[in-house]
Amino acid sequence: MASSVSQQAYNEAVAKLEAETSTASAAQLATVADEILSVAGLLRAQPRLRRALTDPSRPGADRGELLRSLLTSKLAAATVATLVALASGRFSRPADLLDATERLGVEVVLRSAEKGGKLGDVEDELFRFGQIVGGSAELAVTLSDPGAPAGRRAKLVEELLKGKSQPATVRLVEVALEGFGGRGFEASLTRLVELTAAKRDREVAYVTVARPLTDADEQALSGKLAEMYGRPVSLQIVVDPAIIGGVSVRVGSDLYDGTILRRLTAAKQAFAK
């Protein structure tokens, strides 16, 4: 959904969503999110419908009414109104409509978690689950396999997370299984962590250390990074004894690698020349 045209359509749908759900509870928002994501699933499975809903030769009102005719009486009024607003906008490509619908569903999942005061928990749980998946080749292959039935993979996720994570976390992991925004599973999880942090008006800093940081060290590092980036920073910390000592920090495309392993590697390369 890179084009300004597609972004404008998305922004107009978000404005409609805000108007339609201004007094909604966390549970009501979760229902709207599930419904929007179910429509994203329909668009993913029906390329002809995507093309019809983004046909530039048809007026936006006609495209909106086409979607309304499919959804009315099946979904909540707020969901229908929001998606009709989305389909009435202009999209550069049919795939952009799918991406925008999926992104809109994620936005409502995050709003539901925010309403319930659980956004921080969701961010941490998504990151930790990504670490678990990354640490198990078998699990990574199973969950990343697009050839495996999505329902079977979703059931495995539910078994792993049920009772241990927020419902919003489970729902977002299911979104990642579908390849959020065309990404692979693990890249989808990373993007969802970043979107959750952004909803909290924070940058994400991925920190690797040889041993756990003290609370004082975490606060000092968080404060320094917040000063550098001009906004609060959410630390996602991985303990990896293999780096021997020091710390590695990645924020977006910026990497600060002060690990002893990096220094030793650099020294070995220097001596080899």
Side-chain angles (χ1 to χ4, degrees):
M1 200 180 66
S3 77
S4 59
V5 169
S6 300
Q7 187 63 50
Q8 180 180 351
Y10 176 78
N11 292 342
E12 290 171 356
V14 169
K16 186 65 173 178
L17 170 70
E18 290 173 347
E20 293 287 334
T21 61
S22 59
T23 61
S25 66
Q28 289 170 328
L29 286 169
T31 297
V32 171
D34 280 341
E35 290 181 344
I36 292 175
L37 290 170
S38 72
V39 174
L42 174 66
L43 293 173
R44 185 179 297 106
Q46 299 289 337
R48 290 180 62 187
L49 179 59
R50 292 201 304 271
R51 289 194 294 271
L53 291 171
T54 55
D55 183 351
S57 69
R58 301 179 68 171
D62 286 358
R63 288 183 270 113
E65 286 307 309
L66 170 60
L67 189 59
R68 188 190 301 276
S69 69
L70 294 173
L71 303 182
T72 297
S73 80
K74 298 181 179 69
L75 305 179
T79 305
V80 175
T82 299
L83 291 174
V84 166
L86 185 65
S88 298
R90 292 174 56 211
F91 288 90
S92 300
R93 305 174 303 149
D96 289 345
L97 175 62
L98 170 57
D99 289 347
T101 306
E102 196 174 47
R103 174 71 181 84
L104 195 61
V106 167
E107 170 66 19
V108 190
V109 173
L110 295 179
R111 289 187 182 206
S112 173
E114 182 179 40
K115 194 90 170 183
K118 301 298 183 182
L119 265 182
D121 292 340
V122 171
E123 181 188 334
D124 289 340
E125 289 167 2
L126 285 172
F127 176 73
R128 295 303 165 195
F129 188 68
Q131 292 300 301
I132 291 170
V133 173
S136 168
E138 182 179 0
L139 183 59
V141 168
T142 299
L143 294 179
S144 302
D145 181 6
R152 184 183 304 168
R153 289 182 288 141
K155 183 172 178 57
L156 174 57
V157 164
E158 185 177 358
E159 291 172 354
L160 291 169
L161 295 179
K162 190 173 182 180
K164 304 172 188 174
S165 301
Q166 297 296 325
T169 303
V170 179
R171 193 67 184 94
L172 291 174
V173 173
E174 290 171 351
V175 170
L177 289 175
E178 297 287 355
F180 179 55
R183 301 172 180 84
F185 176 65
E186 292 185 60
S188 294
L189 283 179
T190 297
R191 180 57 181 150
L192 290 167
V193 169
E194 292 166 353
L195 287 174
T196 307
K199 191 69 177 172
R200 302 171 66 211
D201 194 30
R202 293 171 178 263
E203 293 280 355
V204 179
Y206 299 97
V207 180
T208 304
V209 291
R211 57 189 62 83
L213 296 176
T214 65
D215 290 344
D217 287 339
E218 284 192 30
Q219 290 175 7
L221 178 58
S222 179
K224 180 64 176 177
L225 291 170
E227 183 180 331
M228 291 172 61
Y229 287 92
R231 66 191 299 197
V233 172
S234 176
L235 301 183
Q236 296 296 353
I237 301 173
V238 175
V239 177
D240 182 3
I243 69 170
I244 306 173
V247 60
S248 170
V249 179
R250 180 173 64 81
V251 181
S253 60
D254 299 334
L255 176 64
Y256 310 95
D257 192 342
T259 63
I260 292 176
L261 177 62
R262 182 196 64 78
R263 296 172 195 167
L264 290 173
T265 301
K268 182 179 179 180
Q269 291 173 340
F271 279 117
K273 291 180 179 179

